[in-house]
Amino acid sequence: MNAVTPAGTPSGTPPLAPPLALLAELTHRCPLRCPYCSNPVELTRVAAELDTASWARVFQEASALGCLQVHLSGGEPTARRDIAELVRAAAAAGLYTNLITAGVLLDEAMMARLVEAGLDHVQLSVQDTEPGSAERIGGYRDALPKKLRAARLVREAGLALTLNAVVHRQNLDRLPEMIALALEIGAGRLEVAHVQYYGWALANRDALLPTRAQLEAATAEVQRAREALKGRLVIDYVVPDYYAKRPKSCMGGWGRQFLAVSPAGRVLPCHAAESLPGFDFPNVREVSLRDAWENSEAFNRFRGTGWMKGPCRDCPRAEIDWGGCRCQAFALTGDAAATDPACGLSPDHALLDMAVREAAASEGDFTYRVMGAAPQKA
């Protein structure tokens, strides 16, 4: 599919290629209470979720737009009673289907329905390898045994399996055990994903931010494991920005390679973008996915480099990191158009050093979110 240049896009915007993948956030419901949850602070209620037919149309439009795969996520996607129907609709649209799940609700009957519907891949999250810690982090009793059961069901079904380990100060020292667990359950890929600090994770940053020594040890462990396990296990590594000198290319650049649809139908350039004020994100109830991708002001606002201020505008890395993360820039500075403070050239870079010092002095207590209730301390 050829790239296009939508009308009304700012100067410095490259031709627009089709998105590679769609993140379908089917629901915000989840039995876990992870203190780093990437869902927005304000959760979508069940009554406002897109219905089965609407999601099926979204999948068809995503395929027509050029998407190759769909990540079925949440919350916990298996909390939806129609999850098998949604998998079937995505597969019928010609999309590679990946279920992103905590696994605690997955049983033999559900697994059979998902396989019959055409599921291709499962990404299973794990909070820790020590059962008590896993239970405390996720706020869910007997979480680890249930996740191991889910992993067994996935492998018995012959599906590809990725283990997603979200790491932070309170579990990072057990990274070697997480790598061993990925091998034990037969995962072909391990994603070691440091917590990214916006949304609910920002409220728990002091309890989650690792020390520099932990980060350096983890990075060395990943490098060692990649060499030792080459050909047996692929290890992806997503680092935190709080010790960085240059920002990462968040999502490959705003609105360049990726789009998400929220449970209520809002079309977003990334799953965290709902945290940004002053945006009128389009909704699939009102516009097509193609129109949202190509023509919405929200998507075009930060595409390319024409929107950039100094020092980003004249930086030789402008088309490498695309200015970094807009959600992080807003979370730390209050300005989504600011230079990402992860960059050493940002006038706000010192905010990261301040956050590191504050986290080091923290006692490490979590604040849990419960849908429809006041936040709860650990």
Side-chain angles (χ1 to χ4, degrees), residues 10 15 32 85 88 105 114 127 147 153 169 178 194 197 210-211 251 255-256 319 322 326 351:
L32 274 67
E85 296 173 67
R88 181 174 287 105
L105 303 181
L114 293 173
Q127 281 67 45
K147 290 172 181 290
L153 293 174
R169 190 168 87 204
M178 295 179 193
H194 283 267
Y197 297 99
T211 65
M251 313 306 297
R256 295 189 66 248
E319 295 188 14
W322 303 102
R326 297 301 90 217
L351 292 172

Side-chain angles (χ1 to χ4, degrees), residues 77-150:
T78 60
R80 286 193 59 136
R81 295 180 179 178
D82 60 349
I83 183 60
E85 296 173 67
L86 295 173
V87 169
R88 181 174 287 105
L95 298 169
Y96 183 89
T97 54
N98 174 35
L99 180 71
I100 301 176
T101 178
V104 297
L105 303 181
L106 195 59
D107 59 18
E108 288 84 352
M110 182 184 295
M111 191 75 249
R113 293 196 301 272
L114 293 173
V115 171
E116 189 276 330
L119 185 65
D120 294 303
H121 182 278
V122 174
Q123 180 175 313
L124 178 67
S125 66
V126 63
Q127 281 67 45
D128 205 336
T129 56
E130 197 284 310
S133 178
E135 186 170 312
R136 174 176 176 262
I137 293 169
Y140 189 87
R141 181 170 295 180
D142 295 329
L144 187 58
K146 292 176 181 178
K147 290 172 181 290
L148 296 180
R149 177 195 64 185

Side-chain angles (χ1 to χ4, degrees), residues 28-192:
H28 283 158
R29 287 172 282 160
C30 185
L32 274 67
R33 301 186 295 161
C34 301
Y36 48 74
C37 180
S38 62
N39 290 149
V41 174
E42 292 295 328
L43 300 177
T44 298
R45 301 297 178 137
V46 176
E49 292 176 0
L50 293 179
D51 60 18
T52 311
S54 296
W55 275 116
R57 174 176 56 82
V58 168
F59 298 150
Q60 290 289 341
E61 292 182 0
S63 180
L65 184 56
C67 285
L68 302 177
Q69 53 191 273
V70 60
H71 304 286
L72 303 166
S73 181
E76 173 49 54
T78 60
R80 286 193 59 136
R81 295 180 179 178
D82 60 349
I83 183 60
E85 296 173 67
L86 295 173
V87 169
R88 181 174 287 105
L95 298 169
Y96 183 89
T97 54
N98 174 35
L99 180 71
I100 301 176
T101 178
V104 297
L105 303 181
L106 195 59
D107 59 18
E108 288 84 352
M110 182 184 295
M111 191 75 249
R113 293 196 301 272
L114 293 173
V115 171
E116 189 276 330
L119 185 65
D120 294 303
H121 182 278
V122 174
Q123 180 175 313
L124 178 67
S125 66
V126 63
Q127 281 67 45
D128 205 336
T129 56
E130 197 284 310
S133 178
E135 186 170 312
R136 174 176 176 262
I137 293 169
Y140 189 87
R141 181 170 295 180
D142 295 329
L144 187 58
K146 292 176 181 178
K147 290 172 181 290
L148 296 180
R149 177 195 64 185
R152 175 179 57 81
L153 293 174
V154 173
R155 297 305 298 146
E156 289 177 350
L159 300 184
L161 175 63
T162 292
L163 184 68
N164 173 253
V166 180
V167 294
H168 45 82
R169 190 168 87 204
Q170 302 198 32
N171 67 6
L172 194 52
D173 294 336
R174 284 181 290 280
L175 179 56
E177 289 83 354
M178 295 179 193
I179 295 171
L181 178 62
L183 292 171
E184 178 185 335
I185 66 174
R189 181 180 295 270
L190 169 65
E191 184 178 89
V192 180

Side-chain angles (χ1 to χ4, degrees), residues 175 212-222:
L175 179 56
R212 180 179 288 277
Q214 281 185 307
L215 177 60
E216 291 175 350
T219 301
E221 178 65 21
V222 168

Side-chain angles (χ1 to χ4, degrees), residues 278-295:
F279 281 81
D280 182 18
F281 289 109
N283 195 296
V284 295
R285 290 186 169 106
E286 300 164 354
V287 302
S288 70
L289 206 60
R290 179 178 297 278
D291 189 37
W293 175 252
E294 294 182 352
N295 300 316

Side-chain angles (χ1 to χ4, degrees), residues 254-312:
W254 177 278
R256 295 189 66 248
Q257 297 181 0
F258 179 89
L259 80 168
V261 176
S262 78
R266 284 181 288 275
V267 189
L268 308 165
C270 79
H271 61 282
E274 281 188 287
S275 66
L276 302 177
F279 281 81
D280 182 18
F281 289 109
N283 195 296
V284 295
R285 290 186 169 106
E286 300 164 354
V287 302
S288 70
L289 206 60
R290 179 178 297 278
D291 189 37
W293 175 252
E294 294 182 352
N295 300 316
S296 72
E297 188 277 335
F299 270 78
N300 287 322
R301 188 181 302 187
F302 293 131
R303 275 180 173 144
T305 59
W307 60 272
M308 291 180 177
K309 306 174 183 178
C312 292

